Amino acid sequence: MHQILRTGRFLIGNTHRTAWNKGCSSFSKMMKAVCVDIPGGPENLLLRTVPRPQPKNGEVLIRVQAAALNRADLLQRRGQYPPPPGESDIIGLEVAGIVDTLGPGMKMGWNADDRVMALLCGGGYAEYVAVREELLMPVPTHLTLSQAAAIPEAWLTAFQLLVFIAQLKESEVVLIHAGASGVGTAAVQLVRLLGAVPVVTAGSPEKLRMAEKLGAAAGFNYKEESFAKGVHDLTGGKGANVILDCIGGCNWEQNVSSLAIDGRWVLYGTMGGRAVEGDLLGKLLSKRGHLLCSLLRSRSLQYKADLVRAFSERVLPHFSDQPASLRPVIDSTFKLEDIAEAHRHMEANRNMGKIVINVV
């Protein structure tokens, strides 16, 4: 009887230990992430514990150190910009972190513990994210992971608009709306790198001064003056060869007026409305203008892979530690727990440069 009782205690102990190990194993496969149950305001952003993604064929699991905000995040939170089919419904389009796990079928030579930054279709507001290896870039050695998180979406968007869409040429004039935004600050620097002339609009003297420090040849406060007149005065009446426009409707007349003959007006957002009233087509036709529209998130994997490769070859080496090198502009940083406040900061249009979320 004594032996049986002792055996029973041993079995119970093993059962308890097995259950504890299973619980720990299950817990280790979870992560913190920001979720939105009901579309709406920043208060609807909820920090939860959810299952950690597992890398599929050709994917890498990143241990996220930092993510960054984009205007698309605000739209997704409101239910106005859902992720592409099959993608994570967790908000967040760019991250930087450490390679945690390699999925099967890897071909590009990434290794565990590599410092990487990545373009995402979603999933960035989390401790881990799985991403195709083609969408990874190495973090420049002198940049922190918080700085690197401010690069992928904003800089790839600006590069795509200027090179893939507008096909910018040397010495052309580029009018960049929202010149102090994440994409705007990247575009100013890229236009200079590509040998062209950046001109910006912004809503405050402080934002204009920052853009000019980054290389803008001129800046116009759209709240106080006509940017169309400013562009005409600057170019001797010729106008801008390229316009990068995330504003849309409310600016259309000044945009067409600012456009040079055969100019390219690149629309990638509609912060100023989608409706247009008036003779848009007639005035655009008189300029022989090109209206080009582009979004990045919904592009194919092949398109994004080509974009990442071109950016990595042509631009990434210029993020060096030299004084004239490119640099991500960071407005502020928030903890993941304070994601709602970060969204409020962007919605108030207070930021100059990127808003970064430190996940770790």
Side-chain angles (χ1 to χ4, degrees):
M1 176 66 72
H2 180 71
Q3 181 65 33
I4 293 174
L5 286 176
R6 191 166 59 204
T7 303
R9 285 196 297 272
F10 176 76
L11 289 173
I12 291 171
N14 252 7
T15 302
H16 174 74
R17 187 176 297 111
T18 300
W20 186 85
N21 284 339
K22 286 183 178 178
C24 286
S25 175
S26 176
F27 182 78
S28 70
K29 295 179 181 178
M30 305 297 283
M31 68 175 184
K32 290 181 181 178
V34 175
C35 303
V36 180
D37 292 342
I38 302 174
E43 66 278 3
N44 289 21
L45 296 166
L46 306 172
L47 188 60
R48 289 237 182 96
T49 299
V50 300
R52 185 187 302 179
Q54 298 302 309
K56 300 173 185 176
N57 190 65
E59 289 186 342
V60 168
L61 184 68
I62 300 174
R63 188 166 68 253
V64 177
Q65 305 292 302
L69 267 63
N70 292 278
R71 290 279 171 182
D73 301 351
L74 309 186
L75 295 175
Q76 182 173 339
R77 189 202 69 221
R78 298 176 196 139
Q80 298 170 353
Y81 192 31
E87 299 293 345
S88 172
D89 59 4
I90 295 172
I91 300 174
L93 300 178
E94 57 189 340
V95 298
I98 307 296
V99 173
D100 181 87
T101 308
L102 302 175
M106 300 290 293
K107 299 177 181 178
M108 298 183 67
W110 298 106
N111 297 299
D113 297 327
D114 282 347
R115 295 192 336 143
V116 294
M117 50 190 180
L119 177 69
L120 310 173
C121 284
Y125 293 7
E127 291 181 311
Y128 290 85
V129 66
V131 58
R132 290 284 307 193
E133 63 172 337
E134 297 97 325
L135 305 184
L136 296 182
M137 295 176 284
V139 174
T141 55
H142 72 287
L143 293 184
T144 67
L145 291 172
S146 288
Q147 291 173 314
I151 293 176
E153 174 70 18
W155 282 80
L156 285 168
T157 294
F159 182 76
Q160 178 217 12
L161 298 175
L162 291 166
V163 177
F164 281 32
I165 307 300
Q167 299 183 15
L168 182 65
K169 302 177 182 63
E170 285 190 13
S171 303
E172 289 191 317
V173 175
V174 183
L175 174 60
I176 303 164
H177 290 309
S181 66
V183 173
T185 54
V188 168
Q189 297 178 72
L190 285 172
V191 169
R192 283 296 184 192
L193 179 68
L194 297 169
V197 181
V199 178
V200 305
T201 67
S204 73
E206 295 78 14
K207 291 182 177 181
L208 292 174
R209 282 195 293 269
M210 187 190 69
E212 288 174 4
K213 286 182 180 179
L214 292 173
F220 309 108
N221 188 333
Y222 64 86
K223 296 179 179 180
E224 299 179 351
E225 61 185 319
S226 165
F227 66 78
K229 182 180 184 303
V231 170
H232 278 284
D233 292 344
L234 180 72
T235 61
K238 293 180 179 178
N241 305 101
V242 174
I243 300 175
L244 298 190
D245 182 18
C246 58
I247 306 300
C250 67
N251 275 351
W252 80 263
E253 288 185 281
Q254 287 200 72
N255 276 335
V256 176
S257 178
S258 301
L259 198 64
I261 298 296
D262 295 318
R264 289 93 75 201
W265 173 10
V266 182
L267 180 69
Y268 69 101
T270 55
M271 292 170 54
R274 299 182 178 186
V276 171
E277 294 183 5
D279 187 21
L280 168 60
L281 296 180
K283 292 185 177 181
L284 190 61
L285 184 61
S286 70
K287 291 286 187 81
R288 300 198 302 267
H290 302 254
L291 177 57
L292 306 167
C293 302
S294 182
L295 293 172
L296 181 54
R297 188 182 193 183
S298 57
R299 297 281 188 174
S300 69
L301 173 62
Q302 186 61 57
Y303 182 96
K304 293 177 183 177
D306 292 342
L307 178 63
V308 167
R309 183 168 55 253
F311 180 85
S312 298
E313 292 172 355
R314 296 183 59 179
V315 179
L316 204 55
H318 295 277
F319 285 94
S320 68
D321 57 358
Q322 301 302 314
S325 63
L326 303 176
R327 64 183 181 90
V329 178
I330 296 177
D331 170 84
S332 52
T333 59
F334 293 82
K335 295 179 181 178
L336 190 62
E337 293 83 357
D338 299 324
I339 187 66
E341 190 57 35
H343 272 232
R344 292 187 185 99
H345 187 66
M346 176 171 275
E347 283 187 320
N349 204 29
R350 294 195 296 263
N351 59 298
M352 295 192 294
K354 296 288 288 184
I355 300 170
V356 172
I357 304 300
N358 286 326
V359 177
V360 176

